[in-house]
Amino acid sequence: MQFRDLHRQYEAMKAEMDQAMLNVAASGAYIMGPQVAELEQQLAAYVDMKHCISCANGTDALWLALRALGLKPGDAVFVPDFTFFSTAEAPAILNLVPVFVDVDDKSFNMDAADLERKWQQALNNGLHPAAVIAVDLFGLPADYDAIVDFCRQKSLPLIEDGAQGFGGSIRGKRACSFGDIATTSFFPAKPLGCYGDGGALFTNDDRYADLLRSLRVHGKGTDKYDNVRLGLNSRLDTLQAAILQVKLRHFDDELKAVNRVAAKYSQLLAGKVQTPVVPEGYTSSWAQYTLQTENRDDLQARLKAAGVPAMVYYPHTMSRQTAFAHLNQAPCPVADELSRTVLSLPMHPYMTDEEIETVASLI
Ligand SMILES: *Cc1c(COP(=O)(O)O)cnc(C)c1O
């Protein structure tokens, strides 16, 4: 059994996919071919945002977003303690100070009450609070009712890290539409993945959009040999854009399918382990189906012995990462607990009922 069976996905759309890839190969327009701008329009329409700016990966997307906000070295950027490393790495690499915020034990997402506490602590420690990065972990949008309110109140720009969230929603409003700037990743295993690395940013702000388009191509001005700032080489390949256009056509069906898989898991596992909680009005894109259990390591080993891959996302919180040890930040108790108890099960749109039942019966 595969954790995320990308081969089955390819087989399901093979004819269309092969044609799309061959078209790019034959066109010769490998960099910024027409598929890139077309995809950007389709993605912007999908999440109902004015601008989509594609880029090379989800980590660059975060870097580009932070640059567009114009933060100053030493500024504090609030990030969840329980996330993929990139969320905290991007501010750190720009000489910003990531401040780790604890998460909610049910949603796994940033705890708005702890955000307020960490904001106050940062001020007390003489830091300048400058931005918040909220993450839509495992496909579930963060608590934007509370977080957007808080950011408005404190005049903090909000970045939505929707690398895992694309396809989720809150009361019909789609993920990647909640931040002043939202980012996503098209890494193959993400809800919408390409055949390599890829990413995108979303914003309604024309000024941010112009800056992001400049920053992703070496800080270009009127053309790419007029460089008005330092940027990156962070374009999305035409080939990846063409692949994503095919996958986007199937994406709503895949979302329905992963929600069916999740519902079946939760029905079979209820009462045995803590199954994931989706708050009223929210939908998840199920980047991961993550349960909590006290004997996590035994369970993972038992599943593995039976040929079922289950993964620990994430074994280390940000405050306990070696790379951030010099920041000397207090660990976050809920994030610590999760890093000890979470286990993600095989999850993808092409799982059969039989496979779901096999996994559930082993648990
Ligand atoms: C995957 C991921 C990223 C980084 O995306 P890449 O395309 O791999 O660079 C950032 N944040 C989160 C939460 C992710 O899961």
Side-chain angles (χ1 to χ4, degrees):
M1 195 182 299
Q2 301 267 312
F3 187 69
R4 193 166 187 95
D5 198 328
L6 296 171
H7 190 75
R8 270 189 218 169
Q9 185 194 44
Y10 170 64
E11 289 296 332
M13 43 188 93
K14 182 174 185 323
E16 265 176 286
M17 192 58 94
D18 289 353
Q19 193 56 57
M21 292 191 289
L22 285 171
N23 287 349
V24 175
S27 78
Y30 305 131
I31 298 288
M32 291 305 213
Q35 290 87 342
V36 175
E38 283 169 24
L39 174 73
E40 287 176 342
Q41 279 177 14
Q42 290 159 352
L43 292 171
Y46 190 82
V47 302
D48 195 19
M49 290 290 273
K50 188 167 176 195
H51 302 282
C52 170
I53 299 95
S54 60
C55 66
N57 57 70
T59 307
D60 280 6
L62 287 166
W63 186 99
L64 291 162
L66 289 163
R67 281 291 311 278
L69 294 179
L71 308 185
K72 306 271 180 311
D75 281 354
V77 176
F78 300 89
V79 304
D81 195 41
F82 192 64
T83 181
F84 180 64
F85 189 61
S86 288
T87 314
E89 181 185 31
I93 214 146
L94 285 165
N95 294 315
L96 306 165
V97 179
V99 174
F100 306 125
V101 177
D102 210 351
V103 295
D104 178 79
D105 65 342
K106 292 290 186 300
S107 70
F108 307 118
N109 280 328
M110 182 181 268
D111 176 354
D114 198 51
L115 173 60
E116 180 144 20
R117 279 191 291 272
K118 295 294 161 64
W119 175 86
Q120 189 60 55
Q121 269 175 29
L123 276 184
N124 296 347
N125 294 337
L127 286 169
H128 174 244
V132 174
I133 307 180
V135 176
D136 302 337
L137 203 72
F138 304 152
L140 184 71
D143 179 7
Y144 290 111
D145 289 335
I147 293 171
V148 169
D149 260 9
F150 177 81
C151 288
R152 286 222 179 100
Q153 220 185 82
K154 308 294 183 201
S155 299
L156 289 171
L158 172 65
I159 296 173
E160 174 185 3
D161 179 351
Q164 302 180 15
F166 193 86
S169 61
I170 304 177
R171 297 182 296 272
K173 184 171 160 57
R174 286 203 164 113
C176 293
S177 71
F178 292 101
D180 296 287
I181 302 177
T183 65
T184 196
S185 164
F186 304 124
F187 181 83
K190 307 281 177 171
L192 180 64
C194 59
Y195 288 175
D197 282 304
L201 300 113
F202 298 87
T203 184
N204 282 329
D205 184 307
D206 297 343
R207 210 175 45 90
Y208 288 151
D210 287 347
L211 265 170
L212 292 167
R213 289 197 180 95
S214 163
L215 287 163
R216 81 169 160 188
V217 189
H218 306 292
K220 75 181 164 87
T222 48
D223 68 61
K224 73 173 170 175
Y225 302 110
D226 169 35
N227 304 94
V228 297
R229 56 181 69 82
L230 303 180
L232 290 179
N233 172 7
S234 188
R235 292 167 296 226
L236 181 70
D237 292 337
T238 311
L239 186 63
Q240 302 301 351
I243 288 161
L244 287 164
Q245 283 189 293
V246 174
K247 288 214 196 176
L248 191 57
R249 291 202 281 273
H250 295 267
F251 189 62
D252 282 336
D253 288 338
E254 293 196 340
L255 278 179
K256 284 198 196 95
V258 284
N259 275 285
R260 180 191 60 82
V261 175
K264 188 159 176 74
Y265 265 142
S266 290
Q267 178 209 329
L268 294 172
L269 296 173
K272 312 280 195 293
V273 287
Q274 173 65 56
T275 56
V277 177
V278 177
E280 183 68 32
Y282 283 57
T283 60
S284 175
S285 57
W286 297 106
Q288 307 295 343
Y289 182 93
T290 304
L291 48 81
Q292 296 171 62
T293 178
E294 277 303 317
N295 52 3
R296 190 265 314 276
D297 293 343
D298 290 349
L299 178 58
Q300 185 184 26
R302 224 153 33 73
L303 289 169
K304 187 171 176 214
V308 173
M311 312 290 282
V312 176
Y313 299 125
Y314 293 95
H316 307 291
T317 63
M318 293 304 109
S319 49
R320 292 190 186 277
Q321 286 284 7
T322 309
F324 295 130
H326 65 282
L327 294 174
N328 271 318
Q329 286 185 34
C332 297
V334 177
D336 274 352
E337 172 76 3
L338 292 177
S339 66
R340 198 174 61 73
T341 57
V342 287
L343 190 64
S344 298
L345 302 182
M347 165 53 90
H348 59 83
Y350 302 91
M351 276 190 89
T352 63
D353 281 352
E354 201 188 349
E355 287 173 316
I356 302 165
E357 282 156 16
T358 299
V359 178
S361 68
L362 285 163
I363 294 167

PDB file of all heavy atoms in Angstrom, residues 56-62 83-87 135-138 161-165 183-187 190 196-199 314, ligand 1:
ATOM      1  N   ALA A  56       8.549  28.857  -7.825  1.00  0.00           N
ATOM      2  CA  ALA A  56       9.251  27.578  -7.973  1.00  0.00           C
ATOM      3  C   ALA A  56       8.908  26.543  -6.899  1.00  0.00           C
ATOM      4  O   ALA A  56       9.062  25.342  -7.122  1.00  0.00           O
ATOM      5  CB  ALA A  56      10.765  27.812  -7.995  1.00  0.00           C
ATOM      6  N   ASN A  57       8.476  26.968  -5.729  1.00  0.00           N
ATOM      7  CA  ASN A  57       8.111  26.035  -4.657  1.00  0.00           C
ATOM      8  C   ASN A  57       7.460  26.811  -3.509  1.00  0.00           C
ATOM      9  O   ASN A  57       7.472  28.044  -3.501  1.00  0.00           O
ATOM     10  CB  ASN A  57       9.333  25.242  -4.161  1.00  0.00           C
ATOM     11  CG  ASN A  57      10.442  26.151  -3.671  1.00  0.00           C
ATOM     12  OD1 ASN A  57      10.308  26.790  -2.632  1.00  0.00           O
ATOM     13  ND2 ASN A  57      11.526  26.251  -4.435  1.00  0.00           N
ATOM     14  N   GLY A  58       6.929  26.066  -2.550  1.00  0.00           N
ATOM     15  CA  GLY A  58       6.208  26.698  -1.447  1.00  0.00           C
ATOM     16  C   GLY A  58       7.104  27.429  -0.466  1.00  0.00           C
ATOM     17  O   GLY A  58       6.651  28.352   0.226  1.00  0.00           O
ATOM     18  N   THR A  59       8.368  27.025  -0.390  1.00  0.00           N
ATOM     19  CA  THR A  59       9.309  27.719   0.498  1.00  0.00           C
ATOM     20  C   THR A  59       9.670  29.088  -0.084  1.00  0.00           C
ATOM     21  O   THR A  59       9.655  30.099   0.633  1.00  0.00           O
ATOM     22  CB  THR A  59      10.583  26.866   0.689  1.00  0.00           C
ATOM     23  OG1 THR A  59      10.197  25.562   1.122  1.00  0.00           O
ATOM     24  CG2 THR A  59      11.511  27.481   1.714  1.00  0.00           C
ATOM     25  N   ASP A  60       9.967  29.121  -1.385  1.00  0.00           N
ATOM     26  CA  ASP A  60      10.195  30.406  -2.049  1.00  0.00           C
ATOM     27  C   ASP A  60       8.969  31.308  -1.904  1.00  0.00           C
ATOM     28  O   ASP A  60       9.095  32.523  -1.724  1.00  0.00           O
ATOM     29  CB  ASP A  60      10.462  30.215  -3.547  1.00  0.00           C
ATOM     30  CG  ASP A  60      11.891  29.786  -3.855  1.00  0.00           C
ATOM     31  OD1 ASP A  60      12.657  29.518  -2.908  1.00  0.00           O
ATOM     32  OD2 ASP A  60      12.236  29.722  -5.059  1.00  0.00           O
ATOM     33  N   ALA A  61       7.779  30.706  -2.008  1.00  0.00           N
ATOM     34  CA  ALA A  61       6.551  31.505  -1.907  1.00  0.00           C
ATOM     35  C   ALA A  61       6.525  32.258  -0.582  1.00  0.00           C
ATOM     36  O   ALA A  61       6.197  33.456  -0.537  1.00  0.00           O
ATOM     37  CB  ALA A  61       5.321  30.614  -2.056  1.00  0.00           C
ATOM     38  N   LEU A  62       6.909  31.578   0.508  1.00  0.00           N
ATOM     39  CA  LEU A  62       6.940  32.235   1.820  1.00  0.00           C
ATOM     40  C   LEU A  62       7.998  33.336   1.851  1.00  0.00           C
ATOM     41  O   LEU A  62       7.764  34.437   2.369  1.00  0.00           O
ATOM     42  CB  LEU A  62       7.221  31.201   2.924  1.00  0.00           C
ATOM     43  CG  LEU A  62       6.054  30.260   3.250  1.00  0.00           C
ATOM     44  CD1 LEU A  62       6.550  29.080   4.075  1.00  0.00           C
ATOM     45  CD2 LEU A  62       4.952  31.010   3.987  1.00  0.00           C
ATOM     46  N   THR A  83       4.475  22.604  12.639  1.00  0.00           N
ATOM     47  CA  THR A  83       4.326  22.826  11.204  1.00  0.00           C
ATOM     48  C   THR A  83       5.522  22.218  10.496  1.00  0.00           C
ATOM     49  O   THR A  83       6.456  21.720  11.140  1.00  0.00           O
ATOM     50  CB  THR A  83       4.228  24.336  10.882  1.00  0.00           C
ATOM     51  OG1 THR A  83       4.070  24.524   9.460  1.00  0.00           O
ATOM     52  CG2 THR A  83       5.479  25.107  11.313  1.00  0.00           C
ATOM     53  N   PHE A  84       5.518  22.275   9.155  1.00  0.00           N
ATOM     54  CA  PHE A  84       6.702  21.912   8.397  1.00  0.00           C
ATOM     55  C   PHE A  84       7.738  23.026   8.545  1.00  0.00           C
ATOM     56  O   PHE A  84       7.394  24.207   8.648  1.00  0.00           O
ATOM     57  CB  PHE A  84       6.334  21.693   6.920  1.00  0.00           C
ATOM     58  CG  PHE A  84       7.510  21.313   6.075  1.00  0.00           C
ATOM     59  CD1 PHE A  84       8.186  20.129   6.295  1.00  0.00           C
ATOM     60  CD2 PHE A  84       7.970  22.158   5.075  1.00  0.00           C
ATOM     61  CE1 PHE A  84       9.293  19.784   5.528  1.00  0.00           C
ATOM     62  CE2 PHE A  84       9.070  21.816   4.301  1.00  0.00           C
ATOM     63  CZ  PHE A  84       9.741  20.637   4.531  1.00  0.00           C
ATOM     64  N   PHE A  85       8.996  22.653   8.530  1.00  0.00           N
ATOM     65  CA  PHE A  85      10.123  23.552   8.825  1.00  0.00           C
ATOM     66  C   PHE A  85      10.095  24.874   8.041  1.00  0.00           C
ATOM     67  O   PHE A  85      10.428  25.930   8.576  1.00  0.00           O
ATOM     68  CB  PHE A  85      11.433  22.802   8.560  1.00  0.00           C
ATOM     69  CG  PHE A  85      12.666  23.522   9.013  1.00  0.00           C
ATOM     70  CD1 PHE A  85      12.853  23.851  10.344  1.00  0.00           C
ATOM     71  CD2 PHE A  85      13.650  23.872   8.100  1.00  0.00           C
ATOM     72  CE1 PHE A  85      13.996  24.508  10.761  1.00  0.00           C
ATOM     73  CE2 PHE A  85      14.801  24.520   8.506  1.00  0.00           C
ATOM     74  CZ  PHE A  85      14.975  24.842   9.838  1.00  0.00           C
ATOM     75  N   SER A  86       9.687  24.807   6.761  1.00  0.00           N
ATOM     76  CA  SER A  86       9.701  26.000   5.895  1.00  0.00           C
ATOM     77  C   SER A  86       9.014  27.213   6.507  1.00  0.00           C
ATOM     78  O   SER A  86       9.447  28.348   6.298  1.00  0.00           O
ATOM     79  CB  SER A  86       8.958  25.730   4.584  1.00  0.00           C
ATOM     80  OG  SER A  86       9.676  24.879   3.770  1.00  0.00           O
ATOM     81  N   THR A  87       7.915  26.986   7.215  1.00  0.00           N
ATOM     82  CA  THR A  87       7.131  28.098   7.758  1.00  0.00           C
ATOM     83  C   THR A  87       7.990  28.982   8.650  1.00  0.00           C
ATOM     84  O   THR A  87       7.837  30.204   8.656  1.00  0.00           O
ATOM     85  CB  THR A  87       5.931  27.557   8.578  1.00  0.00           C
ATOM     86  OG1 THR A  87       5.278  26.528   7.839  1.00  0.00           O
ATOM     87  CG2 THR A  87       4.956  28.668   8.908  1.00  0.00           C
ATOM     88  N   VAL A 135      -0.828  28.611   9.372  1.00  0.00           N
ATOM     89  CA  VAL A 135      -0.687  27.440   8.486  1.00  0.00           C
ATOM     90  C   VAL A 135      -2.002  26.664   8.473  1.00  0.00           C
ATOM     91  O   VAL A 135      -2.627  26.477   9.515  1.00  0.00           O
ATOM     92  CB  VAL A 135       0.456  26.526   8.987  1.00  0.00           C
ATOM     93  CG1 VAL A 135       0.553  25.257   8.155  1.00  0.00           C
ATOM     94  CG2 VAL A 135       1.779  27.282   8.979  1.00  0.00           C
ATOM     95  N   ASP A 136      -2.400  26.211   7.304  1.00  0.00           N
ATOM     96  CA  ASP A 136      -3.584  25.338   7.165  1.00  0.00           C
ATOM     97  C   ASP A 136      -3.084  23.899   7.255  1.00  0.00           C
ATOM     98  O   ASP A 136      -2.916  23.209   6.240  1.00  0.00           O
ATOM     99  CB  ASP A 136      -4.262  25.578   5.819  1.00  0.00           C
ATOM    100  CG  ASP A 136      -4.682  27.037   5.625  1.00  0.00           C
ATOM    101  OD1 ASP A 136      -4.866  27.749   6.632  1.00  0.00           O
ATOM    102  OD2 ASP A 136      -4.807  27.458   4.461  1.00  0.00           O
ATOM    103  N   LEU A 137      -2.830  23.442   8.494  1.00  0.00           N
ATOM    104  CA  LEU A 137      -2.105  22.183   8.638  1.00  0.00           C
ATOM    105  C   LEU A 137      -2.967  20.974   8.265  1.00  0.00           C
ATOM    106  O   LEU A 137      -4.131  20.890   8.642  1.00  0.00           O
ATOM    107  CB  LEU A 137      -1.575  22.027  10.074  1.00  0.00           C
ATOM    108  CG  LEU A 137      -0.385  21.069  10.159  1.00  0.00           C
ATOM    109  CD1 LEU A 137       0.866  21.691   9.562  1.00  0.00           C
ATOM    110  CD2 LEU A 137      -0.125  20.643  11.599  1.00  0.00           C
ATOM    111  N   PHE A 138      -2.364  20.056   7.566  1.00  0.00           N
ATOM    112  CA  PHE A 138      -2.980  18.788   7.157  1.00  0.00           C
ATOM    113  C   PHE A 138      -4.219  18.988   6.271  1.00  0.00           C
ATOM    114  O   PHE A 138      -5.011  18.069   6.096  1.00  0.00           O
ATOM    115  CB  PHE A 138      -3.337  17.919   8.380  1.00  0.00           C
ATOM    116  CG  PHE A 138      -2.177  17.620   9.294  1.00  0.00           C
ATOM    117  CD1 PHE A 138      -2.378  17.390  10.651  1.00  0.00           C
ATOM    118  CD2 PHE A 138      -0.874  17.574   8.801  1.00  0.00           C
ATOM    119  CE1 PHE A 138      -1.304  17.107  11.499  1.00  0.00           C
ATOM    120  CE2 PHE A 138       0.202  17.293   9.643  1.00  0.00           C
ATOM    121  CZ  PHE A 138      -0.016  17.065  10.993  1.00  0.00           C
ATOM    122  N   ASP A 161      -0.091  30.350   5.068  1.00  0.00           N
ATOM    123  CA  ASP A 161       0.705  29.275   4.472  1.00  0.00           C
ATOM    124  C   ASP A 161      -0.260  28.140   4.137  1.00  0.00           C
ATOM    125  O   ASP A 161      -0.578  27.304   4.990  1.00  0.00           O
ATOM    126  CB  ASP A 161       1.803  28.818   5.439  1.00  0.00           C
ATOM    127  CG  ASP A 161       2.653  27.670   4.870  1.00  0.00           C
ATOM    128  OD1 ASP A 161       2.288  27.125   3.810  1.00  0.00           O
ATOM    129  OD2 ASP A 161       3.673  27.324   5.496  1.00  0.00           O
ATOM    130  N   GLY A 162      -0.719  28.153   2.886  1.00  0.00           N
ATOM    131  CA  GLY A 162      -1.703  27.163   2.434  1.00  0.00           C
ATOM    132  C   GLY A 162      -1.062  26.024   1.664  1.00  0.00           C
ATOM    133  O   GLY A 162      -1.699  25.406   0.812  1.00  0.00           O
ATOM    134  N   ALA A 163       0.222  25.720   1.979  1.00  0.00           N
ATOM    135  CA  ALA A 163       0.935  24.651   1.253  1.00  0.00           C
ATOM    136  C   ALA A 163       0.165  23.330   1.335  1.00  0.00           C
ATOM    137  O   ALA A 163       0.143  22.557   0.381  1.00  0.00           O
ATOM    138  CB  ALA A 163       2.342  24.468   1.815  1.00  0.00           C
ATOM    139  N   GLN A 164      -0.470  23.082   2.493  1.00  0.00           N
ATOM    140  CA  GLN A 164      -1.241  21.850   2.653  1.00  0.00           C
ATOM    141  C   GLN A 164      -2.730  22.116   2.537  1.00  0.00           C
ATOM    142  O   GLN A 164      -3.534  21.187   2.588  1.00  0.00           O
ATOM    143  CB  GLN A 164      -0.949  21.227   4.028  1.00  0.00           C
ATOM    144  CG  GLN A 164       0.521  20.933   4.243  1.00  0.00           C
ATOM    145  CD  GLN A 164       0.809  20.315   5.611  1.00  0.00           C
ATOM    146  OE1 GLN A 164      -0.080  19.841   6.304  1.00  0.00           O
ATOM    147  NE2 GLN A 164       2.083  20.317   5.989  1.00  0.00           N
ATOM    148  N   GLY A 165      -3.089  23.391   2.438  1.00  0.00           N
ATOM    149  CA  GLY A 165      -4.495  23.754   2.608  1.00  0.00           C
ATOM    150  C   GLY A 165      -5.290  23.897   1.338  1.00  0.00           C
ATOM    151  O   GLY A 165      -6.524  23.948   1.379  1.00  0.00           O
ATOM    152  N   THR A 183       0.173  31.673   0.414  1.00  0.00           N
ATOM    153  CA  THR A 183       1.154  30.896  -0.351  1.00  0.00           C
ATOM    154  C   THR A 183       0.671  29.452  -0.441  1.00  0.00           C
ATOM    155  O   THR A 183      -0.061  28.981   0.424  1.00  0.00           O
ATOM    156  CB  THR A 183       2.527  30.890   0.338  1.00  0.00           C
ATOM    157  OG1 THR A 183       2.426  30.211   1.594  1.00  0.00           O
ATOM    158  CG2 THR A 183       3.034  32.305   0.590  1.00  0.00           C
ATOM    159  N   THR A 184       1.111  28.760  -1.493  1.00  0.00           N
ATOM    160  CA  THR A 184       0.866  27.321  -1.536  1.00  0.00           C
ATOM    161  C   THR A 184       2.038  26.620  -2.209  1.00  0.00           C
ATOM    162  O   THR A 184       2.951  27.271  -2.729  1.00  0.00           O
ATOM    163  CB  THR A 184      -0.480  26.967  -2.191  1.00  0.00           C
ATOM    164  OG1 THR A 184      -0.816  25.606  -1.868  1.00  0.00           O
ATOM    165  CG2 THR A 184      -0.441  27.113  -3.708  1.00  0.00           C
ATOM    166  N   SER A 185       1.998  25.293  -2.146  1.00  0.00           N
ATOM    167  CA  SER A 185       3.051  24.453  -2.713  1.00  0.00           C
ATOM    168  C   SER A 185       2.419  23.419  -3.627  1.00  0.00           C
ATOM    169  O   SER A 185       1.341  22.897  -3.315  1.00  0.00           O
ATOM    170  CB  SER A 185       3.800  23.741  -1.591  1.00  0.00           C
ATOM    171  OG  SER A 185       4.564  22.661  -2.110  1.00  0.00           O
ATOM    172  N   PHE A 186       3.087  23.122  -4.728  1.00  0.00           N
ATOM    173  CA  PHE A 186       2.647  22.049  -5.624  1.00  0.00           C
ATOM    174  C   PHE A 186       3.591  20.849  -5.575  1.00  0.00           C
ATOM    175  O   PHE A 186       3.672  20.075  -6.525  1.00  0.00           O
ATOM    176  CB  PHE A 186       2.513  22.582  -7.062  1.00  0.00           C
ATOM    177  CG  PHE A 186       1.595  23.773  -7.186  1.00  0.00           C
ATOM    178  CD1 PHE A 186       2.043  24.955  -7.755  1.00  0.00           C
ATOM    179  CD2 PHE A 186       0.296  23.715  -6.710  1.00  0.00           C
ATOM    180  CE1 PHE A 186       1.213  26.058  -7.867  1.00  0.00           C
ATOM    181  CE2 PHE A 186      -0.555  24.816  -6.812  1.00  0.00           C
ATOM    182  CZ  PHE A 186      -0.089  25.990  -7.396  1.00  0.00           C
ATOM    183  N   PHE A 187       4.337  20.718  -4.480  1.00  0.00           N
ATOM    184  CA  PHE A 187       5.123  19.503  -4.228  1.00  0.00           C
ATOM    185  C   PHE A 187       4.198  18.299  -4.502  1.00  0.00           C
ATOM    186  O   PHE A 187       3.014  18.347  -4.178  1.00  0.00           O
ATOM    187  CB  PHE A 187       5.615  19.537  -2.775  1.00  0.00           C
ATOM    188  CG  PHE A 187       6.463  18.375  -2.367  1.00  0.00           C
ATOM    189  CD1 PHE A 187       7.822  18.355  -2.644  1.00  0.00           C
ATOM    190  CD2 PHE A 187       5.904  17.291  -1.690  1.00  0.00           C
ATOM    191  CE1 PHE A 187       8.602  17.274  -2.262  1.00  0.00           C
ATOM    192  CE2 PHE A 187       6.684  16.214  -1.307  1.00  0.00           C
ATOM    193  CZ  PHE A 187       8.032  16.207  -1.599  1.00  0.00           C
ATOM    194  N   LYS A 190       1.345  17.175  -2.100  1.00  0.00           N
ATOM    195  CA  LYS A 190       0.369  18.137  -1.548  1.00  0.00           C
ATOM    196  C   LYS A 190      -0.989  17.910  -2.213  1.00  0.00           C
ATOM    197  O   LYS A 190      -1.066  17.236  -3.249  1.00  0.00           O
ATOM    198  CB  LYS A 190       0.852  19.568  -1.807  1.00  0.00           C
ATOM    199  CG  LYS A 190       2.262  19.861  -1.346  1.00  0.00           C
ATOM    200  CD  LYS A 190       2.393  20.110   0.143  1.00  0.00           C
ATOM    201  CE  LYS A 190       3.858  20.323   0.479  1.00  0.00           C
ATOM    202  NZ  LYS A 190       4.113  20.778   1.815  1.00  0.00           N
ATOM    203  N   GLY A 196       7.083  17.623  -9.701  1.00  0.00           N
ATOM    204  CA  GLY A 196       8.364  18.175  -9.289  1.00  0.00           C
ATOM    205  C   GLY A 196       8.057  19.236  -8.252  1.00  0.00           C
ATOM    206  O   GLY A 196       7.110  19.089  -7.486  1.00  0.00           O
ATOM    207  N   ASP A 197       8.834  20.311  -8.242  1.00  0.00           N
ATOM    208  CA  ASP A 197       8.565  21.412  -7.315  1.00  0.00           C
ATOM    209  C   ASP A 197       7.770  22.504  -8.011  1.00  0.00           C
ATOM    210  O   ASP A 197       7.948  22.766  -9.205  1.00  0.00           O
ATOM    211  CB  ASP A 197       9.892  21.989  -6.801  1.00  0.00           C
ATOM    212  CG  ASP A 197      10.512  21.122  -5.711  1.00  0.00           C
ATOM    213  OD1 ASP A 197       9.819  20.869  -4.703  1.00  0.00           O
ATOM    214  OD2 ASP A 197      11.670  20.697  -5.868  1.00  0.00           O
ATOM    215  N   GLY A 198       6.918  23.156  -7.236  1.00  0.00           N
ATOM    216  CA  GLY A 198       6.142  24.283  -7.745  1.00  0.00           C
ATOM    217  C   GLY A 198       5.470  24.987  -6.593  1.00  0.00           C
ATOM    218  O   GLY A 198       5.347  24.423  -5.496  1.00  0.00           O
ATOM    219  N   GLY A 199       5.046  26.219  -6.806  1.00  0.00           N
ATOM    220  CA  GLY A 199       4.354  26.958  -5.752  1.00  0.00           C
ATOM    221  C   GLY A 199       3.615  28.145  -6.332  1.00  0.00           C
ATOM    222  O   GLY A 199       3.707  28.413  -7.542  1.00  0.00           O
ATOM    223  N   TYR A 314       4.436  15.945  12.898  1.00  0.00           N
ATOM    224  CA  TYR A 314       5.877  16.090  12.749  1.00  0.00           C
ATOM    225  C   TYR A 314       6.534  15.637  14.030  1.00  0.00           C
ATOM    226  O   TYR A 314       6.021  15.933  15.111  1.00  0.00           O
ATOM    227  CB  TYR A 314       6.223  17.566  12.469  1.00  0.00           C
ATOM    228  CG  TYR A 314       5.675  17.969  11.110  1.00  0.00           C
ATOM    229  CD1 TYR A 314       4.431  18.579  11.020  1.00  0.00           C
ATOM    230  CD2 TYR A 314       6.374  17.689   9.946  1.00  0.00           C
ATOM    231  CE1 TYR A 314       3.913  18.931   9.780  1.00  0.00           C
ATOM    232  CE2 TYR A 314       5.853  18.050   8.700  1.00  0.00           C
ATOM    233  CZ  TYR A 314       4.621  18.663   8.623  1.00  0.00           C
ATOM    234  OH  TYR A 314       4.089  18.981   7.416  1.00  0.00           O
TER     235      TYR A 314
HETATM  236  C1  LIG B   1       5.383  21.664   2.007  1.00  0.00           C
HETATM  237  C2  LIG B   1       5.242  22.845   2.865  1.00  0.00           C
HETATM  238  C3  LIG B   1       5.951  24.040   2.615  1.00  0.00           C
HETATM  239  C4  LIG B   1       7.033  24.148   1.581  1.00  0.00           C
HETATM  240  O1  LIG B   1       6.670  23.809   0.294  1.00  0.00           O
HETATM  241  P1  LIG B   1       7.820  23.306  -0.739  1.00  0.00           P
HETATM  242  O2  LIG B   1       7.108  23.402  -2.064  1.00  0.00           O
HETATM  243  O3  LIG B   1       8.165  21.921  -0.359  1.00  0.00           O
HETATM  244  O4  LIG B   1       8.953  24.250  -0.644  1.00  0.00           O
HETATM  245  C5  LIG B   1       5.696  25.129   3.416  1.00  0.00           C
HETATM  246  N1  LIG B   1       4.820  25.071   4.427  1.00  0.00           N
HETATM  247  C6  LIG B   1       4.131  23.945   4.716  1.00  0.00           C
HETATM  248  C7  LIG B   1       3.162  23.957   5.834  1.00  0.00           C
HETATM  249  C8  LIG B   1       4.332  22.793   3.949  1.00  0.00           C
HETATM  250  O5  LIG B   1       3.670  21.672   4.256  1.00  0.00           O
END
